[in-house]
Amino acid sequence: MARYGMVIDLHKCTGCGACALACKTENNTQDYSNGKFYNWANYLTFTTGKFPSTKVVTIPTLCNHCSDAPCVEACPVNPKAMYKSPEGITLHNNDRCIGCQRCITACPYSDKDINAAGVQYSVINYLPSDDYTHKLWRDKTELIPGCTASGDEVAKKAGSIPPNMNEFSDPDYQPVRRNDIVEKCMLCRHRLINNELPYCVVSCPAQARIFGDFDDPNSEVSKLIKMYPAKQLKNNKGEFLAPGETGTRPNVYYIRDYNDAITSVKDEKYPENNRTMEKFIKIYPNPVEFFTNVNCTIPKDGIYSFIIYNSAGQIVETVMENKYLTVGLINFQLDAKKLPSGTYICVLRSKDFVQTENLIVSH
Ligand code: SF4
Ligand code: SF4
Ligand code: SF4
């Protein structure tokens, strides 16, 4: 038996949103629609205090894969559509789901309509029967008319929906979802069974998401929650369980919060993950008004793409796609004049490597 989950190091999280984008690319989840927010990996942002003593708080989120999962308890079908794996992952089976949404009502981290509930995210979401499940790939809108391709054009050129098929697929989730069912994070089981980490973990440029087995006392996650005071979310409003409260026994723990005594543990005691902190993408100047230079370190020979996303997760520019590159440096110039002011995420990706860097455009 195991108890898989995650530790999220709030000192390391920069709020870049790469985890949310990575999850969308890995699992082909759809965009926000009518009060439903299909980001299985997401992050809450809000400010605390009063000007001038304010702080910006960012809390990365995902399904907590709770040990006492009320979503499973509430699921009325048999065998249950919402169920626990032997490793403690809360899984969902599309074929068994009847779309009743009782799981959403039962989950303290979910709401049927995030606008109506006044929250920023919902762990479980419903795919309505009267809506396309992957609208982006049918959308004929060009973000920059006459310049960027629409989702519809990309899908047609790729010859399939969705065009971004991944190497592994999950036994319960097909790449194109059915209507009238719910869906949620399954801790990237399709990757775990192929000895790959969840994609939000792999893609976090700050290595703030750490995956592991809490039942293994020697795992990194077990050591971290022993080393630091750790807390768990209570709901999807950004509130944490009070000391002594167990809630649904969530298996996502938060350490090193800037906003309370958790910060009292000194940084030098923290064991860095084995992964390198090397910066593979350098952008200068950044923020930029007109043109900026991009410098990418290619760690090994392979096929690479360099894609720029806006903060809504839409591709605004594909600078390079499936290009064979050898180890070394590549440099190119980006024209930021055509992009509206805002924060963009530049993603350098190959089959087994991904690095991201924020680009701030200010006109
Ligand atoms: S966070 Fe919600 S969906 Fe995930 S296991 Fe807990 S109750 Fe179920
Ligand atoms: S919507 Fe599906 S998973 Fe949720 S309770 Fe109903 S049948 Fe179970
Ligand atoms: S574990 Fe996988 S499915 Fe879950 S939030 Fe992360 S990327 Fe998405």
Side-chain angles (χ1 to χ4, degrees):
M1 289 294 280
R3 184 162 60 94
Y4 284 169
M6 227 177 258
V7 169
I8 295 181
D9 185 338
L10 295 170
H11 265 197
K12 288 185 167 183
C13 175
T14 60
C16 72
C19 50
L21 286 175
C23 182
K24 289 195 98 58
T25 60
E26 179 67 17
N27 296 297
N28 193 39
T29 52
Q30 70 175 66
D31 284 350
Y32 166 85
S33 174
N34 298 327
K36 294 172 183 62
F37 196 62
Y38 301 90
N39 281 15
W40 296 350
N42 200 42
Y43 56 104
L44 291 169
T45 53
F46 46 89
T47 51
T48 58
K50 276 194 180 161
F51 183 81
S53 303
T54 53
K55 277 183 191 169
V56 176
V57 179
T58 304
I59 305 175
T61 59
L62 71 160
C63 168
N64 292 285
H65 298 280
C66 311
S67 292
D68 292 339
C71 56
V72 174
E73 184 66 29
C75 183
V77 295
N78 184 15
K80 285 183 182 284
M82 197 71 82
Y83 66 103
K84 295 296 274 187
S85 79
E87 303 82 20
I89 307 173
T90 305
L91 292 170
H92 176 256
N93 182 293
N94 272 0
D95 293 336
R96 300 204 286 258
C97 181
I98 57 169
C100 71
Q101 303 185 59
R102 285 192 194 177
C103 49
I104 298 182
T105 307
C107 169
Y109 310 89
S110 297
D111 280 290
K112 288 180 184 166
D113 183 332
I114 60 169
N115 292 339
V119 293
Q120 292 183 35
Y121 80 107
S122 175
V123 161
I124 314 174
N125 274 299
Y126 172 65
L127 295 153
S129 51
D130 57 350
D131 209 357
Y132 288 128
T133 55
H134 297 79
K135 273 193 291 222
L136 179 66
W137 306 121
R138 294 172 172 89
D139 185 356
K140 292 189 165 54
T141 317
E142 293 171 354
L143 195 68
I144 305 172
C147 179
T148 54
S150 67
D152 179 68
E153 195 182 339
V154 172
K156 284 200 177 111
K157 286 234 160 78
S160 66
I161 293 177
N164 58 331
M165 295 284 285
N166 292 310
E167 193 175 358
F168 311 121
S169 61
D170 186 84
D172 286 346
Y173 273 141
Q174 295 311 307
V176 176
R177 302 291 194 285
R178 279 178 33 206
N179 286 106
D180 210 11
I181 54 164
V182 300
E183 63 177 25
K184 63 175 284 298
C185 159
M186 68 291 198
L187 214 49
C188 281
R189 174 182 56 167
H190 57 290
R191 293 176 61 87
L192 296 175
I193 58 181
N194 286 289
N195 296 318
E196 304 248 19
L197 287 168
Y199 205 45
C200 53
V201 173
V202 173
S203 307
C204 175
Q207 284 102 49
R209 288 180 177 242
I210 302 125
F211 167 83
D213 176 8
F214 289 107
D215 274 355
D216 174 2
N218 295 316
S219 68
E220 187 180 4
V221 288
S222 295
K223 287 179 185 164
L224 284 170
I225 61 167
K226 258 194 210 147
M227 183 176 295
Y228 296 104
K231 53 190 188 178
Q232 299 135 297
L233 277 174
K234 180 179 187 167
N235 51 38
N236 54 351
K237 299 179 183 70
E239 292 167 359
F240 288 95
L241 292 169
E245 263 188 304
T246 52
T248 53
R249 295 174 60 215
N251 286 307
V252 175
Y253 289 83
Y254 294 82
I255 59 169
R256 303 207 301 168
D257 188 341
Y258 280 107
N259 289 292
D260 63 23
I262 285 178
T263 52
S264 63
V265 181
K266 285 201 168 30
D267 285 359
E268 54 268 27
K269 284 189 186 168
Y270 181 71
E272 290 298 338
N273 304 336
N274 289 332
R275 285 159 286 176
T276 172
M277 293 295 283
E278 186 184 345
K279 242 173 164 338
F280 287 84
I281 307 173
K282 290 178 183 150
I283 303 174
Y284 53 97
N286 189 11
V288 59
E289 188 175 4
F290 303 115
F291 290 94
T292 191
N293 300 295
V294 181
N295 196 316
C296 297
T297 304
I298 304 302
K300 61 178 183 180
D301 297 0
I303 309 281
Y304 287 83
S305 298
F306 190 96
I307 297 168
I308 304 173
Y309 297 84
N310 64 16
S311 55
Q314 295 160 323
I315 294 174
V316 295
E317 189 170 346
T318 301
V319 177
M320 174 176 80
E321 194 168 22
N322 295 333
K323 192 169 174 186
Y324 184 78
L325 297 172
T326 52
V327 174
L329 279 177
I330 58 161
N331 305 293
F332 50 87
Q333 201 171 53
L334 282 179
D335 179 1
K337 291 199 303 298
K338 58 193 178 189
L339 298 173
S341 293
T343 301
Y344 295 83
I345 298 117
C346 301
V347 180
L348 173 68
R349 181 183 295 120
S350 72
K351 188 166 165 271
D352 52 1
F353 165 92
V354 64
Q355 284 286 314
T356 66
E357 184 67 24
N358 279 9
L359 167 69
I360 297 161
V361 176
S362 171
H363 295 300

